[in-house]
Amino acid sequence: MEYSWSSLHSASTLIIVLIILVLAYLWYSYAYAPYQIFKRHGIPGPTPTLLDGYTKEYSTFGPNKYEKHLIEKYGSVCGFYSGTKPFVIISDLEMLKEVFVKQFDNFVNRDAFPALLRKDRSSKVRGILQARDDTWRRARTTLTPTFSALKMKQMEPLIAESVGRLVGIIGKHAGGDNSVDVHKMFGKYTMEVILTSAFGRYKDIQNATEDDSLTVAAASIFGSAKDGSFLDAMVLRKWLSLYPWSEFLLHFLARRSTAAKGWDYLHNASMQLVKQRREQGNSNQRRDLLQLMLEAHKEDVTGREKGLSDEEIVTHGVIFLLAGYETTSNALAYCAYLLALHPNIQEKLIEKITDYLKENPNGSMYDAAQNIEYLDMVLNETLRIYPPAP
């Protein structure tokens, strides 16, 4: 079969035109249109750069001071782009009250974090940080009563056991002349409390010479950069997840990390424990967070499903670990450090705690933590100086 030069030329021209049209469409969809949102709504902000969205000012000020700089430059309501995602900054108190209080039901969804470490990326089960719309409302309605003062007091004996061990360890160190790694000490304490209260894992982690398998699995999620940890994946996600194709790539990379192995072990062990608890029924007397989630009401007054599935319970337990481990251990370590630097504050705090316990000999540890104002002031000042997260 023979083709004339004109027909080949026409075919080549058509292919070139099609390529140009496809490239123009991609440019418009991913490099132009996403950056017009603020212009259409009259929201001031810096002109974004192609691909990453950030401006040169971001490199100058860094992530922690960038938003403050934008507020000072563009006003109490402004916006910036991270990749192709628009982010609105609001520092107007009345508008914040409108969003978080008066119209909270209209702003339930958050920037969803992809399920990086799961084997099944398509799973619809999401923790409360990723759940959206009615799924989020159901999870929040179910979990909120679990964190009432009464329910928290029910878990106090479990936490008190760990506190007692921590006090004993500190007492041993206080009698010696050797330096103490308080961050490691509080890290073990925090891990023990979380695994005890959230996962029903009852073991003396603080005095153990070797970590058990569940502790190792949980700690691996917070490993170093060399371990390919989940937190390192979060840093990578900061840039990559801003684009349509990124979640697949992030999942591919995260599933090959040490953190993914820890996630799998923690997930499987927790799922087995949930099944055991359900089989035990009311015979189980442990008042931990896992049991409280299992006992959450199954239906609301309208008859709609309200309780949490086994998968959701395990997922929320892992979220509590991710949210509470490093933040709490860091805060406690910094608090101890600051008290060591300021012995006068330390002595006053001891005095306030002693006075409260004398006035309330039958008071609970929960009540003491809630009612000693000076303790609250010390912790707040610690968090102000050394915030656990930017």
Side-chain angles (χ1 to χ4, degrees), residues 109-271:
N109 295 331
R110 299 293 180 267
D111 184 24
F113 194 93
L116 298 181
L117 299 182
R118 294 181 180 176
K119 289 182 179 180
D120 183 11
R121 185 171 62 93
S122 63
S123 173
K124 294 183 179 180
V125 176
R126 292 288 186 268
I128 198 166
L129 298 181
Q130 299 100 358
R132 303 178 71 81
D133 302 321
D134 290 340
T135 302
W136 178 88
R137 290 186 178 90
R138 176 176 60 83
R140 185 177 185 271
T141 302
T142 305
L143 287 172
T144 297
T146 304
F147 291 93
S148 66
L150 177 61
K151 297 293 179 65
M152 291 295 100
K153 287 182 178 180
Q154 291 178 6
M155 290 192 290
E156 183 181 322
L158 302 176
I159 301 174
E161 291 181 18
S162 297
V163 171
R165 283 191 282 269
L166 177 62
V167 171
I169 293 171
I170 294 176
K172 292 178 182 178
H173 288 305
D177 297 326
N178 297 327
S179 61
V180 181
D181 185 346
V182 293
H183 185 264
K184 183 177 181 180
M185 179 179 68
F186 285 121
K188 286 188 173 183
Y189 162 74
T190 305
M191 182 67 75
E192 181 177 294
V193 170
I194 293 177
L195 292 182
T196 298
S197 58
F199 291 92
R201 183 76 169 190
Y202 308 103
K203 189 169 183 178
D204 183 0
I205 294 174
Q206 298 181 75
N207 291 305
T209 55
E210 294 183 4
D211 293 332
D212 69 335
S213 55
L214 193 63
T215 305
V216 172
S220 69
I221 300 178
F222 300 91
S224 65
K226 293 181 180 180
D227 296 328
S229 71
F230 178 61
L231 295 184
D232 297 320
M234 288 174 65
V235 176
L236 180 62
R237 180 255 185 194
K238 176 73 176 178
W239 188 82
L240 286 180
S241 67
L242 305 169
Y243 302 95
W245 43 265
S246 60
E247 188 170 336
F248 173 81
L249 177 60
L250 281 170
H251 183 262
F252 176 83
L253 296 174
R255 283 300 305 171
R256 281 147 185 81
S257 67
T258 304
K261 297 178 182 178
W263 178 284
D264 289 343
Y265 187 91
L266 192 63
H267 176 276
N268 295 335
S270 301
M271 184 61 72

